[in-house]
Amino acid sequence: MADAARDPGRLRAYLEDHYGQPEGIACSPRERVETALVLRQPDRVPFDFWAVPEVYEALRGALDAPSDEDVLRLLGIDCRMVTARYVGARARTLPDGTLIDAWGTHRRRVANAFGSYDEYASHPLAEAETVRDVLDWDWASPDDWDVSGIREQCEALNSDIGYHLRYEVGGIFEWSWALRGFARFL
């Protein structure tokens, strides 16, 4: 693998051999994740992947991959994400350039040599002390999202291969961290 990493053509060939043909394996990506979730041993560790657009762009170039989906296939990623379109009015940009997202979390854009991302600037439930504080908070409404395209996304992603699908909710701790702050939610 180390030699393949230095040569893009060899790297792509290595990935094609090891992960690039999910339709040809006995355990589907969905089955692999579900096996792990019930604490049984899958054929290998399930993979998930998130990246900023700049990282996807670099990977597409390095792997000679025409699309983000091809990158995910070559890397053997078992999970795919489906999303709803946000149609609410809650999200807004503040005068200092930071933003309040659809969930009410406060974010700021941070750039580095590899790309840019939104990090948390503050946490709306950081000072919550009681269950009542949490219940009384101005929660986002389900009506703020148009979910009409979710079925089509699921069907398209699973038309050939059964992937483990997740709704755009972040990682297992993402929203708790966003709303409460990392140290407070722990």
Side-chain angles (χ1 to χ4, degrees):
M1 176 66 180
D3 291 334
R6 289 188 272 280
D7 177 354
R10 287 184 64 199
L11 177 59
R12 183 178 172 96
Y14 176 89
L15 293 172
E16 285 282 2
D17 285 349
H18 286 81
Y19 305 116
Q21 306 300 323
E23 64 280 352
I25 56 176
C27 183
S28 76
R30 179 188 307 123
E31 292 166 336
R32 180 176 298 117
V33 173
E34 290 177 1
T35 298
L37 287 174
V38 296
L39 306 178
R40 290 196 324 261
Q41 179 91 25
D43 61 332
R44 67 163 172 80
V45 173
F47 300 156
D48 194 4
F49 181 78
W50 296 357
V52 296
E54 297 90 344
V55 170
Y56 267 111
E57 181 180 350
L59 285 168
R60 285 191 310 271
L63 298 174
D64 192 28
S67 68
D68 292 351
E69 181 58 33
D70 198 39
V71 167
L72 296 175
R73 180 186 61 79
L74 286 168
L75 295 177
I77 306 304
D78 299 297
C79 303
R80 296 296 187 272
M81 183 169 54
V82 296
T83 61
R85 191 170 59 88
Y86 180 70
V87 296
R90 183 179 181 127
R92 64 194 182 284
T93 301
L94 302 177
D96 66 357
T98 62
L99 62 99
I100 303 295
D101 69 14
W103 288 93
T105 65
H106 185 201
R107 297 173 183 251
R108 76 174 135 252
R109 176 69 54 171
V110 175
N112 60 39
F114 304 103
S116 59
Y117 62 95
D118 293 332
E119 75 175 9
Y120 302 119
S122 66
H123 309 279
L125 293 174
E127 302 307 317
E129 297 292 335
T130 67
V131 171
R132 178 56 42 207
D133 292 339
V134 173
L135 293 175
D136 286 346
W137 186 62
D138 183 24
W139 289 95
S141 168
D143 296 332
D144 289 343
W145 283 269
D146 174 5
V147 297
S148 62
I150 298 288
R151 176 183 295 276
E152 290 78 15
Q153 290 176 57
C154 294
E155 289 170 351
L157 286 167
N158 281 330
S159 64
D160 296 325
I161 300 159
Y163 288 106
H164 184 268
L165 302 180
R166 62 179 165 75
Y167 183 71
E168 177 189 17
V169 294
I172 189 169
F173 302 119
E174 187 79 20
W175 288 112
S176 299
W177 170 17
L179 295 169
R180 186 86 167 121
F182 195 71
R184 299 279 321 241
F185 111 81
L186 286 177

